[in-house]
Amino acid sequence: MNNHQTGPAREDVHRGLLIAAVSLIGASAVLGMAGLAVFGSAVIVSGRHWARRVELTPAELAKLKWSQAKSAASAGSGAWREHHHPHHHGH
């Protein structure tokens, strides 16, 4: 009788490649878990910042946004005047 095996045998597996593959899979799992931890902490931190902003009353939030808008408009108009009238800033 012929003693030919058609399936893979243990001797056919390249142990070095197998060890390298398992090591890479393990390292990837560790890096993935670390990434999830960093992502989770980023979500928590941003949630806390959002919660602090929301603690303002609507009136306080409106006052803050109005102040920011006035500052931006003032800076923009100042830059526009400087750009269009560069020789008149010495009076």
Side-chain angles (χ1 to χ4, degrees):
M1 263 201 186
N2 243 344
N3 195 8
H4 292 284
Q5 292 182 339
T6 56
R10 286 182 68 187
E11 299 86 37
D12 295 333
V13 176
H14 192 280
R15 287 183 64 81
L17 286 176
L18 186 62
I19 290 171
V22 169
S23 299
L24 287 171
I25 291 169
S28 298
V30 169
L31 285 174
M33 294 300 283
L36 282 174
V38 171
F39 175 76
S41 66
V43 168
I44 290 170
V45 167
S46 63
R48 285 181 181 163
H49 287 170
W50 177 79
R52 268 190 238 130
R53 274 190 318 206
V54 172
E55 287 176 3
L56 294 174
T57 66
E60 290 172 330
L61 188 58
K63 193 175 186 181
L64 174 67
K65 292 300 177 185
W66 178 248
S67 174
Q68 290 171 343
K70 284 196 310 187
S71 296
S74 175
S77 68
W80 183 86
R81 276 189 299 241
E82 181 65 30
H83 177 70
H84 288 290
H85 306 289
H87 303 296
H88 296 281
H89 60 86
H91 292 303

